[in-house]
């Protein structure tokens, strides 16, 4: 019998990450019992047979013997220089290797860049729906996440009026996720420009999470936020996890651009925190230069005949045929964020739906409310399985919804 109880910090009370939460734990239990579960809950390409480009693997192996020591806290120079060149090719001309920090995935850098910034009670504008690490990291770093709307009726584009209405004297930064997880929206230049201007007017940092920057379906145009922000600080995040299918390498970066003079002390704070963790995983950094130059294999996956393109088509076709579902067709990233019709499915919540789909059909997806989104009739699925699997999944979803419809 225990006479003591080890409790987690109360700072975790408001923190959620249901992409790997209760549903996913239940899925593992089912798998241990011998069931085969279709995982549509996490954007982990290698799980579905996608490979990291071979040249990246070779670059890492070639330099393995140079990877045994700590390196510079910001990352190895050739990798940071490659990120600079990518920025230059995109029209961001005035950044240098000094403005680039490499981390253990974008995930580490989200936490680190917020930790260096926030005082207790400082507010950060975060999209709703969001990638929930952003909300969690704001809370963990003593800030307050204030969610702005990205209405479905407007293709999940950020609503400028909603952003402006939420700016207070405590607002320090605005987070933009483009191309977006979970909705698959790719934002137009005008919307991004208006956000940049709002940030400049109110002296907010723009945190632009562009990890899906090259994950674009035909017809979608990606505008880097850094090309639009001049008078305030812009922090652009990207990495190897998605476009290069190298989630396990744990490599991401943040590039500071725009007005760095106003932010010199803050950037020193980011450098201090980077130094405290010594450096990020070194072998993976050797793959950056090889990844960013030359042939970009992600384009083939996104074009007609490519895996991600065909999966998206299967999802959209399945939803068009459905009596209950609708979706904003994803223009980028690797997810769809469909909803079911609540007039036919009264009192049925996204969480009940996700749990029943898992128990009955052994399909794991993520309820929409897990993305800090209040309507409770959405869910996120990844587009990573083969098109045939997606067609089968949509069929099973339809069958369950038919049963539940009143
Ligand atoms: N940002 C967004 C929008 C994501 O979807 C993800 C992962 O899914 C991350 C950041 C984290 O990426 P990383 O693997 O670089 O930590």
């Amino acid at each position: 019998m225990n006479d003591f109880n080890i409790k987690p910090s109360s700072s975790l009370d408001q923190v959620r990450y249901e992409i790997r939460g209760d549903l996913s734990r239940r899925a593992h239990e089912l798998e241990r019992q011998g069931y085969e579960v279709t995982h549509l809950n996490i954007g982990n390409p290698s799980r579905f047979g996608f490979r990291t480009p071979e040249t990246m693997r070779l670059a890492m192996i070639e330099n393995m013997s140079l990877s045994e020591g700590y390196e510079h806290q910001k990352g190895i120079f050739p990798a940071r220089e490659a990120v600079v060149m990518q920025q230059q090719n995109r029209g961001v001309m005035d950044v240098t290797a000094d403005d680039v920090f490499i981390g253990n995935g974008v995930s580490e850098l989200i936490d680190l860049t917020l930790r260096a910034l926030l005082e207790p009670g400082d507010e950060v504008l975060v999209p709703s729906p969001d990638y929930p690490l952003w909300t969690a990291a704001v809370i963990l770093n003593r800030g307050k996440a204030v969610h702005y709307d990205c209405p479905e009726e407007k293709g999940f584009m950020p609503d400028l009026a909603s952003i402006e209405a939420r700016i207070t004297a405590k607002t320090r930064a605005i987070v933009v996720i483009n191309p977006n997880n979970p909705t698959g929206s790719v934002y137009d230049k005008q919307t991004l420009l208006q956000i940049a201007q709002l940030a400049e007017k109110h002296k907010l940092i723009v945190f632009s999470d562009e990890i899906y920057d090259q994950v674009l379906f035909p017809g979608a145009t990606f505008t880097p936020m850094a090309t639009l922000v001049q008078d305030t600080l812009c922090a652009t995040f990207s990495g190897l996890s998605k476009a290069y299918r190298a989630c396990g390498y744990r490599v991401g970066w943040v590039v500071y651009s725009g007005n760095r003079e106003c932010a010199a002390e803050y950037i020193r704070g980011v450098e201090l925190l980077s130094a405290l963790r010594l450096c990020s995983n070194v072998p993976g950094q050797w793959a950056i230069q090889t990844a960013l130059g030359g042939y970009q294999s992600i384009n083939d996956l996104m074009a007609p005949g490519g895996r991600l393109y065909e999966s998206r088509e299967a999802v959209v076709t399945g939803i068009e045929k459905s009596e209950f579902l609708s979706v904003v067709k994803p223009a980028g990233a690797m997810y769809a964020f469909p909803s079911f019709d609540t007039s036919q499915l009264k009192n049925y919540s996204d969480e009940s739906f996700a749990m029943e789909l898992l128990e009955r059909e052994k399909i794991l997806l993520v309820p929409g409310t897990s993305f800090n989104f209040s309507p409770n009739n959405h869910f996120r699925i990844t587009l990573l399985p083969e098109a045939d699997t997606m067609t089968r999944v949509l069929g099973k979803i339809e069958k369950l919804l038919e049963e539940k419809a009143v």
Side-chain angles (χ1 to χ4, degrees), residues 174-371:
I174 175 158
V175 175
V176 176
I177 304 171
N178 178 45
N180 190 266
N181 176 8
T183 64
S185 295
V186 178
Y187 300 162
D188 60 81
K189 184 172 177 183
Q190 190 55 23
T191 302
L192 292 169
L193 184 61
Q194 287 172 319
I195 296 174
Q197 287 168 346
L198 214 51
E200 287 174 341
K201 182 170 151 202
H202 294 275
K203 302 184 170 48
L204 311 179
I205 299 184
V206 183
F207 285 123
S208 192
D209 182 341
E210 301 180 359
I211 193 157
Y212 300 100
D213 53 6
Q214 296 182 75
V215 189
L216 301 167
F217 291 109
T221 306
F222 167 70
T223 307
M225 190 53 127
T227 59
L228 306 174
V229 177
Q230 265 112 44
D231 294 343
T232 187
L233 185 69
C234 181
T236 300
F237 299 79
S238 195
L240 298 184
S241 290
K242 309 296 176 173
Y244 302 98
R245 289 92 66 201
C247 294
Y249 287 17
R250 307 310 299 126
V251 174
W253 51 85
V254 58
V255 188
Y256 287 107
S257 63
N259 184 347
R260 277 145 291 172
E261 264 171 47
C262 71
E265 284 180 66
Y266 162 64
I267 294 174
R268 269 201 297 282
V270 173
E271 193 161 344
L272 171 66
L273 292 181
S274 304
L276 282 171
R277 60 77 156 117
L278 301 170
C279 69
S280 73
N281 168 33
V282 179
Q285 294 188 43
W286 288 106
I288 295 178
Q289 190 178 24
T290 304
L292 299 193
Y295 166 68
Q296 299 292 301
S297 54
I298 183 71
N299 295 336
D300 299 339
L301 298 171
M302 304 303 286
R307 270 280 295 271
L308 286 163
Y309 181 93
E310 296 305 329
S311 286
R312 180 189 66 158
E313 290 312 290
V315 168
V316 171
T317 308
I319 290 177
E320 274 167 5
K321 284 191 203 146
S322 166
E323 262 186 77
F324 311 99
L325 296 174
S326 58
V327 71
V328 174
K329 188 172 181 174
M334 39 184 70
Y335 313 94
F337 197 59
S339 61
F340 52 80
D341 178 1
T342 47
S343 68
Q344 298 182 76
L345 291 145
K346 291 200 179 67
N347 303 322
Y348 197 41
S349 73
D350 57 346
E351 285 181 1
S352 310
F353 163 68
M355 192 48 94
E356 286 185 6
L357 193 69
L358 177 60
E359 294 293 345
R360 293 206 202 171
E361 304 295 348
K362 311 295 178 282
I363 294 168
L364 176 62
L365 45 70
V366 189
T369 46
S370 310
F371 300 91

Side-chain angles (χ1 to χ4, degrees), residues 38-260:
T38 307
H39 285 255
L40 302 178
N41 64 322
I42 192 162
N44 187 3
S46 75
R47 185 155 195 145
F48 298 92
F50 289 90
R51 296 299 310 267
T52 301
E54 188 179 62
T55 48
M56 289 170 60
R57 214 162 40 250
L58 296 178
M60 193 164 63
I61 292 166
E62 178 79 23
N63 290 287
M64 204 49 108
S65 62
L66 301 177
S67 303
E68 292 169 5
Y70 295 132
E71 288 293 340
H72 193 279
Q73 63 263 29
K74 289 185 177 182
I76 60 171
F77 182 78
R80 285 187 285 137
E81 196 62 13
V83 173
V84 168
M85 285 174 198
Q86 186 189 53
Q87 291 294 311
Q88 287 175 350
N89 286 335
R90 293 176 177 185
V92 185
M93 302 313 288
D94 67 337
V95 293
T96 71
D98 261 352
D99 301 305
V100 180
F101 291 74
I102 296 170
N104 295 303
V106 168
S107 304
E108 182 195 38
L109 294 168
I110 289 174
D111 181 52
L112 197 148
T113 53
L114 287 168
R115 192 145 25 111
L117 179 72
L118 297 178
E119 293 290 345
D122 277 354
E123 295 173 6
V124 178
L125 294 163
V126 179
S128 168
D130 74 340
Y131 175 61
L133 174 61
W134 277 105
T135 295
V138 170
I139 296 170
L140 281 168
N141 288 300
R142 310 173 301 166
K144 183 175 168 203
V146 177
H147 293 103
Y148 66 84
D149 298 328
C150 300
E152 183 161 20
E153 318 78 80
K154 294 186 182 164
F156 291 116
M157 295 285 156
D159 180 60
L160 262 292
S162 161
I163 297 176
E164 194 151 24
R166 285 162 176 73
I167 297 175
T168 72
K170 291 191 157 186
T171 312
R172 304 293 312 281
I174 175 158
V175 175
V176 176
I177 304 171
N178 178 45
N180 190 266
N181 176 8
T183 64
S185 295
V186 178
Y187 300 162
D188 60 81
K189 184 172 177 183
Q190 190 55 23
T191 302
L192 292 169
L193 184 61
Q194 287 172 319
I195 296 174
Q197 287 168 346
L198 214 51
E200 287 174 341
K201 182 170 151 202
H202 294 275
K203 302 184 170 48
L204 311 179
I205 299 184
V206 183
F207 285 123
S208 192
D209 182 341
E210 301 180 359
I211 193 157
Y212 300 100
D213 53 6
Q214 296 182 75
V215 189
L216 301 167
F217 291 109
T221 306
F222 167 70
T223 307
M225 190 53 127
T227 59
L228 306 174
V229 177
Q230 265 112 44
D231 294 343
T232 187
L233 185 69
C234 181
T236 300
F237 299 79
S238 195
L240 298 184
S241 290
K242 309 296 176 173
Y244 302 98
R245 289 92 66 201
C247 294
Y249 287 17
R250 307 310 299 126
V251 174
W253 51 85
V254 58
V255 188
Y256 287 107
S257 63
N259 184 347
R260 277 145 291 172

